[in-house]
Amino acid sequence: MILELKDVNGYYDKSHILNGVTLSVGQGTSVCLLGRNGVGKSTTMKTIMGMLNPKEHCKTEGSMKFDGKELSGMKSHSIARLGIAYVPQGRHIFPTLTTEENLKVAARTGVDGSSKWNLETVYTFFPRLEERKDSKGDKLSGGEKQMLAVARGLMQNPKMMLLDEITEGLAPIIVDQLASMVQNLVAEGVTILIAEQNVKFAMKVSSDCYILERGTIVHHQATNELTAETRKKYLGL
Ligand SMILES: Nc1ncnc2c1ncn2[C@@H]1O[C@H](COP(=O)(O)OP(=O)(O)OP(=O)(O)O)[C@@H](O)[C@H]1O
Protein backbone atom coordinates (compact mmCIF):
# COMPACT_ATOMS: atom_id res chain seq x y z
CA MET A 1 0.00 0.00 0.00
CA ILE A 2 1.35 3.41 -0.90
CA LEU A 3 -1.02 5.27 1.45
CA GLU A 4 -2.35 3.90 4.73
CA LEU A 5 -4.50 5.80 7.21
CA LYS A 6 -5.12 4.10 10.55
CA ASP A 7 -7.63 5.41 13.05
CA VAL A 8 -7.23 9.02 12.02
CA ASN A 9 -9.05 11.72 13.98
CA GLY A 10 -9.25 15.31 12.82
CA TYR A 11 -10.40 18.40 14.67
CA TYR A 12 -11.12 21.97 13.62
CA ASP A 13 -10.64 23.75 16.94
CA LYS A 14 -13.14 21.97 19.23
CA SER A 15 -15.11 20.32 16.40
CA HIS A 16 -14.27 16.65 16.09
CA ILE A 17 -14.73 16.08 12.33
CA LEU A 18 -12.86 12.86 11.46
CA ASN A 19 -13.58 9.96 13.72
CA GLY A 20 -11.22 7.02 13.31
CA VAL A 21 -10.75 7.02 9.54
CA THR A 22 -8.93 3.92 8.30
CA LEU A 23 -8.26 3.42 4.60
CA SER A 24 -5.57 2.35 2.20
CA VAL A 25 -4.62 2.97 -1.40
CA GLY A 26 -2.49 0.53 -3.42
CA GLN A 27 0.23 1.68 -5.79
CA GLY A 28 -1.19 2.39 -9.26
CA THR A 29 -4.82 2.11 -8.18
CA SER A 30 -7.64 4.62 -8.05
CA VAL A 31 -9.63 4.74 -4.83
CA CYS A 32 -12.70 6.86 -4.18
CA LEU A 33 -13.88 8.47 -0.99
CA LEU A 34 -17.63 8.81 -1.36
CA GLY A 35 -20.11 10.66 0.79
CA ARG A 36 -22.68 13.37 0.95
CA ASN A 37 -22.02 17.05 1.60
CA GLY A 38 -20.15 17.81 4.78
CA VAL A 39 -19.25 14.24 5.82
CA GLY A 40 -15.52 14.98 5.89
CA LYS A 41 -14.14 14.10 2.45
CA SER A 42 -12.23 17.37 2.03
CA THR A 43 -11.13 17.23 5.65
CA THR A 44 -9.64 13.77 5.02
CA MET A 45 -7.69 15.14 2.05
CA LYS A 46 -6.51 18.17 4.05
CA THR A 47 -5.50 15.94 6.94
CA ILE A 48 -3.34 13.78 4.65
CA MET A 49 -1.72 16.99 3.38
CA GLY A 50 -0.91 18.16 6.92
CA MET A 51 -3.31 21.07 6.73
CA LEU A 52 -5.06 20.35 10.02
CA ASN A 53 -2.24 21.62 12.18
CA PRO A 54 -2.03 23.45 15.52
CA LYS A 55 -1.09 26.69 13.73
CA GLU A 56 -4.57 26.69 12.21
CA HIS A 57 -6.10 25.70 15.59
CA CYS A 58 -6.59 22.20 14.25
CA LYS A 59 -5.39 18.81 15.38
CA THR A 60 -4.77 15.40 13.82
CA GLU A 61 -4.38 12.08 15.63
CA GLY A 62 -3.63 8.61 14.33
CA SER A 63 -1.24 7.23 11.77
CA MET A 64 -0.93 8.19 8.11
CA LYS A 65 1.80 6.42 6.20
CA PHE A 66 2.83 7.31 2.68
CA ASP A 67 5.40 5.09 1.02
CA GLY A 68 6.25 3.80 4.51
CA LYS A 69 6.86 7.30 5.97
CA GLU A 70 4.73 8.66 8.78
CA LEU A 71 3.05 11.90 7.67
CA SER A 72 1.66 12.81 11.07
CA GLY A 73 3.39 15.93 12.35
CA MET A 74 4.94 16.79 9.00
CA LYS A 75 4.46 20.20 7.38
CA SER A 76 2.33 20.44 4.21
CA HIS A 77 5.20 21.43 1.94
CA SER A 78 7.29 18.47 3.15
CA ILE A 79 4.37 16.12 2.52
CA ALA A 80 4.01 17.52 -1.01
CA ARG A 81 7.73 16.94 -1.54
CA LEU A 82 7.32 13.25 -0.75
CA GLY A 83 5.38 13.09 -4.02
CA ILE A 84 1.73 13.81 -3.23
CA ALA A 85 -0.01 16.32 -5.49
CA TYR A 86 -3.16 17.76 -3.96
CA VAL A 87 -5.81 19.21 -6.27
CA PRO A 88 -8.13 21.01 -3.85
CA GLN A 89 -11.84 21.49 -4.36
CA GLY A 90 -12.61 24.66 -6.30
CA ARG A 91 -10.06 24.59 -9.13
CA HIS A 92 -7.35 26.72 -7.57
CA ILE A 93 -5.49 28.17 -10.49
CA PHE A 94 -3.93 31.59 -10.95
CA PRO A 95 -6.61 33.69 -12.72
CA THR A 96 -4.22 36.32 -14.09
CA LEU A 97 -1.62 33.87 -15.42
CA THR A 98 -2.05 32.11 -18.76
CA THR A 99 -2.66 28.37 -18.96
CA GLU A 100 0.99 27.84 -19.84
CA GLU A 101 2.24 30.07 -17.02
CA ASN A 102 -0.01 28.20 -14.60
CA LEU A 103 1.60 24.95 -15.74
CA LYS A 104 5.16 26.28 -15.66
CA VAL A 105 4.96 27.58 -12.09
CA ALA A 106 3.81 24.14 -10.93
CA ALA A 107 6.61 22.23 -12.71
CA ARG A 108 8.85 20.10 -10.53
CA THR A 109 11.00 17.01 -10.89
CA GLY A 110 9.55 14.01 -9.07
CA VAL A 111 11.12 12.57 -5.92
CA ASP A 112 12.47 9.72 -8.02
CA GLY A 113 14.01 12.24 -10.46
CA SER A 114 11.20 11.68 -12.95
CA SER A 115 10.22 14.42 -15.38
CA LYS A 116 7.79 12.28 -17.31
CA TRP A 117 5.19 15.02 -17.02
CA ASN A 118 6.36 18.24 -18.65
CA LEU A 119 4.72 20.84 -20.89
CA GLU A 120 5.00 18.58 -23.91
CA THR A 121 3.55 15.43 -22.34
CA VAL A 122 0.87 17.38 -20.50
CA TYR A 123 -0.21 19.03 -23.76
CA THR A 124 -0.30 15.64 -25.46
CA PHE A 125 -2.47 14.37 -22.62
CA PHE A 126 -4.68 17.51 -22.62
CA PRO A 127 -4.77 18.84 -26.22
CA ARG A 128 -7.41 21.39 -25.14
CA LEU A 129 -4.96 23.02 -22.75
CA GLU A 130 -2.46 23.50 -25.56
CA GLU A 131 -5.19 25.17 -27.61
CA ARG A 132 -5.84 27.50 -24.66
CA LYS A 133 -2.20 27.93 -23.64
CA ASP A 134 -2.20 31.74 -24.02
CA SER A 135 -5.57 32.28 -22.34
CA LYS A 136 -5.63 33.69 -18.82
CA GLY A 137 -6.87 31.35 -16.11
CA ASP A 138 -10.05 33.32 -15.49
CA LYS A 139 -11.02 33.12 -19.17
CA LEU A 140 -11.14 29.31 -19.20
CA SER A 141 -14.41 27.37 -18.97
CA GLY A 142 -15.19 25.40 -15.81
CA GLY A 143 -14.09 22.13 -17.40
CA GLU A 144 -10.88 23.66 -18.75
CA LYS A 145 -10.08 25.14 -15.33
CA GLN A 146 -10.55 21.72 -13.76
CA MET A 147 -8.31 20.08 -16.35
CA LEU A 148 -5.71 22.77 -15.73
CA ALA A 149 -5.92 22.16 -11.97
CA VAL A 150 -5.26 18.45 -12.52
CA ALA A 151 -2.55 19.19 -15.10
CA ARG A 152 -0.80 21.46 -12.58
CA GLY A 153 -0.76 18.53 -10.18
CA LEU A 154 0.76 16.30 -12.87
CA MET A 155 3.49 18.87 -13.58
CA GLN A 156 4.79 18.03 -10.07
CA ASN A 157 5.55 14.50 -11.28
CA PRO A 158 3.82 13.06 -8.21
CA LYS A 159 3.73 9.48 -6.97
CA MET A 160 0.13 10.03 -6.00
CA MET A 161 -2.65 12.54 -6.64
CA LEU A 162 -5.44 13.61 -4.31
CA LEU A 163 -8.36 14.93 -6.37
CA ASP A 164 -11.07 16.69 -4.39
CA GLU A 165 -14.51 16.76 -6.08
CA ILE A 166 -13.28 17.58 -9.54
CA THR A 167 -16.76 17.12 -11.04
CA GLU A 168 -18.42 19.74 -8.85
CA GLY A 169 -20.63 22.15 -10.77
CA LEU A 170 -19.76 20.74 -14.19
CA ALA A 171 -22.13 19.67 -16.97
CA PRO A 172 -22.56 15.89 -17.52
CA ILE A 173 -20.66 15.97 -20.82
CA ILE A 174 -17.66 17.61 -19.12
CA VAL A 175 -17.91 15.11 -16.26
CA ASP A 176 -17.66 12.33 -18.87
CA GLN A 177 -14.51 13.94 -20.27
CA LEU A 178 -13.03 14.12 -16.77
CA ALA A 179 -13.85 10.43 -16.27
CA SER A 180 -11.88 9.54 -19.42
CA MET A 181 -9.07 11.75 -18.16
CA VAL A 182 -8.89 9.91 -14.82
CA GLN A 183 -9.09 6.51 -16.55
CA ASN A 184 -6.17 7.56 -18.76
CA LEU A 185 -4.21 8.77 -15.73
CA VAL A 186 -4.67 5.38 -14.08
CA ALA A 187 -3.56 3.70 -17.32
CA GLU A 188 -0.42 5.87 -17.11
CA GLY A 189 0.26 4.38 -13.69
CA VAL A 190 -0.74 7.39 -11.56
CA THR A 191 -2.07 6.46 -8.10
CA ILE A 192 -5.22 8.39 -7.22
CA LEU A 193 -7.38 9.10 -4.19
CA ILE A 194 -10.47 10.95 -5.29
CA ALA A 195 -13.21 12.52 -3.16
CA GLU A 196 -16.61 12.49 -4.83
CA GLN A 197 -20.34 12.80 -4.36
CA ASN A 198 -21.03 11.64 -7.91
CA VAL A 199 -21.36 7.85 -7.65
CA LYS A 200 -21.66 7.29 -11.40
CA PHE A 201 -18.37 9.10 -11.88
CA ALA A 202 -16.78 7.16 -9.01
CA MET A 203 -17.88 3.89 -10.59
CA LYS A 204 -16.17 4.84 -13.85
CA VAL A 205 -12.89 6.00 -12.36
CA SER A 206 -12.16 3.91 -9.25
CA SER A 207 -11.67 0.27 -8.43
CA ASP A 208 -12.27 0.58 -4.73
CA CYS A 209 -14.40 2.92 -2.64
CA TYR A 210 -14.83 3.99 0.96
CA ILE A 211 -18.07 5.63 2.06
CA LEU A 212 -17.83 8.31 4.74
CA GLU A 213 -20.61 9.36 7.07
CA ARG A 214 -20.11 11.97 9.78
CA GLY A 215 -16.35 11.53 9.70
CA THR A 216 -16.40 7.73 9.88
CA ILE A 217 -15.87 5.10 7.19
CA VAL A 218 -19.10 3.13 7.14
CA HIS A 219 -18.58 1.00 4.06
CA HIS A 220 -15.71 -0.32 1.91
CA GLN A 221 -16.20 -2.24 -1.32
CA ALA A 222 -15.11 -2.65 -4.93
CA THR A 223 -16.77 0.37 -6.55
CA ASN A 224 -18.40 -1.58 -9.37
CA GLU A 225 -20.03 -3.90 -6.81
CA LEU A 226 -21.86 -1.11 -4.98
CA THR A 227 -25.49 -2.12 -4.85
CA ALA A 228 -28.45 0.19 -5.32
CA GLU A 229 -29.32 -0.57 -1.70
CA THR A 230 -25.95 0.60 -0.39
CA ARG A 231 -26.07 3.68 -2.54
CA LYS A 232 -29.51 4.53 -1.26
CA LYS A 233 -28.60 3.87 2.35
CA TYR A 234 -25.48 6.01 2.47
CA LEU A 235 -25.66 8.34 -0.46
CA GLY A 236 -29.37 8.86 -0.92
CA LEU A 237 -29.28 7.74 -4.55
N1 LIG B 1 -12.29 25.31 8.58
C1 LIG B 1 -13.28 24.70 9.21
N2 LIG B 1 -13.59 24.99 10.49
C2 LIG B 1 -14.59 24.35 11.13
N3 LIG B 1 -15.37 23.38 10.59
C3 LIG B 1 -15.12 23.06 9.31
C4 LIG B 1 -14.08 23.69 8.55
N4 LIG B 1 -14.07 23.14 7.31
C5 LIG B 1 -15.06 22.22 7.30
N5 LIG B 1 -15.68 22.16 8.49
C6 LIG B 1 -16.78 21.26 8.87
O1 LIG B 1 -16.29 19.93 8.77
C7 LIG B 1 -17.30 19.05 8.27
C8 LIG B 1 -16.74 18.28 7.10
O2 LIG B 1 -16.49 19.17 6.02
P1 LIG B 1 -15.78 18.72 4.68
O3 LIG B 1 -15.57 19.95 3.85
O4 LIG B 1 -14.63 17.88 4.99
O5 LIG B 1 -16.91 17.83 4.02
P2 LIG B 1 -17.02 17.22 2.58
O6 LIG B 1 -17.44 15.80 2.76
O7 LIG B 1 -15.79 17.48 1.81
O8 LIG B 1 -18.24 17.98 1.96
P3 LIG B 1 -18.32 19.03 0.77
O9 LIG B 1 -18.62 18.23 -0.40
O10 LIG B 1 -19.47 19.89 1.18
O11 LIG B 1 -17.02 19.75 0.73
C9 LIG B 1 -18.50 19.93 7.95
O12 LIG B 1 -19.40 19.83 9.01
C10 LIG B 1 -17.92 21.32 7.88
O13 LIG B 1 -18.87 22.26 8.26
Side-chain angles (χ1 to χ4, degrees):
M1 291 295 165
I2 189 162
L3 180 73
E4 274 194 295
L5 269 59
K6 272 203 192 122
D7 207 12
V8 171
N9 286 274
Y11 305 79
Y12 289 116
D13 208 351
K14 291 198 173 60
S15 311
H16 188 175
I17 305 293
L18 297 186
N19 202 339
V21 171
T22 295
L23 62 84
S24 50
V25 181
Q27 170 87 44
T29 66
S30 171
V31 171
C32 189
L33 200 51
L34 273 170
R36 300 182 224 226
N37 261 325
V39 294
K41 302 181 297 297
S42 299
T43 305
T44 304
M45 299 288 202
K46 288 181 190 162
T47 302
I48 296 167
M49 292 312 292
M51 295 163 88
L52 257 67
N53 57 50
K55 233 172 140 187
E56 316 283 337
H57 305 285
C58 300
K59 190 170 74 173
T60 305
E61 294 164 348
S63 162
M64 297 179 288
K65 284 205 169 127
F66 176 71
D67 231 0
K69 286 199 188 69
E70 181 56 58
L71 303 181
S72 232
M74 280 179 72
K75 299 226 158 61
S76 294
H77 60 91
S78 309
I79 293 172
R81 275 205 211 106
L82 291 178
I84 308 183
Y86 171 48
V87 179
Q89 195 172 7
R91 305 161 209 158
H92 292 256
I93 55 172
F94 296 112
T96 58
L97 298 186
T98 64
T99 296
E100 185 147 312
E101 287 163 347
N102 263 286
L103 291 170
K104 280 183 172 164
V105 295
R108 205 188 292 162
T109 309
V111 245
D112 52 358
S114 148
S115 53
K116 171 179 172 180
W117 297 102
N118 49 47
L119 265 189
E120 201 184 328
T121 50
V122 163
Y123 281 153
T124 307
F125 195 80
F126 297 101
R128 184 66 187 153
L129 292 184
E130 184 164 24
E131 285 164 29
R132 304 299 317 265
K133 71 184 167 74
D134 297 321
S135 301
K136 295 264 198 288
D138 62 356
K139 296 289 179 295
L140 302 177
S141 71
E144 289 165 351
K145 280 183 186 148
Q146 192 61 73
M147 282 182 190
L148 178 55
V150 175
R152 280 172 49 85
L154 275 180
M155 289 291 282
Q156 298 170 33
N157 283 288
K159 286 188 180 166
M160 178 170 187
M161 296 187 88
L162 306 184
L163 307 179
D164 195 354
E165 288 209 42
I166 60 171
T167 64
E168 193 187 24
L170 297 175
I173 185 162
I174 309 295
V175 172
D176 285 346
Q177 289 171 14
L178 290 177
S180 309
M181 174 199 78
V182 177
Q183 286 163 349
N184 291 338
L185 283 176
V186 176
E188 291 281 345
V190 181
T191 306
I192 295 174
L193 178 63
I194 191 162
E196 262 306 326
Q197 293 199 40
N198 184 334
V199 184
K200 266 198 198 154
F201 180 77
M203 290 175 101
K204 284 187 192 155
V205 302
S206 65
S207 51
D208 220 23
C209 76
Y210 290 86
I211 300 180
L212 258 183
E213 256 197 348
R214 279 175 267 113
T216 300
I217 303 286
V218 289
H219 194 82
H220 172 212
Q221 195 171 27
T223 319
N224 63 7
E225 288 172 7
L226 276 180
T227 61
E229 197 185 337
T230 306
R231 289 162 57 167
K232 188 145 191 260
K233 182 169 175 194
Y234 298 117
L235 305 161
L237 301 164

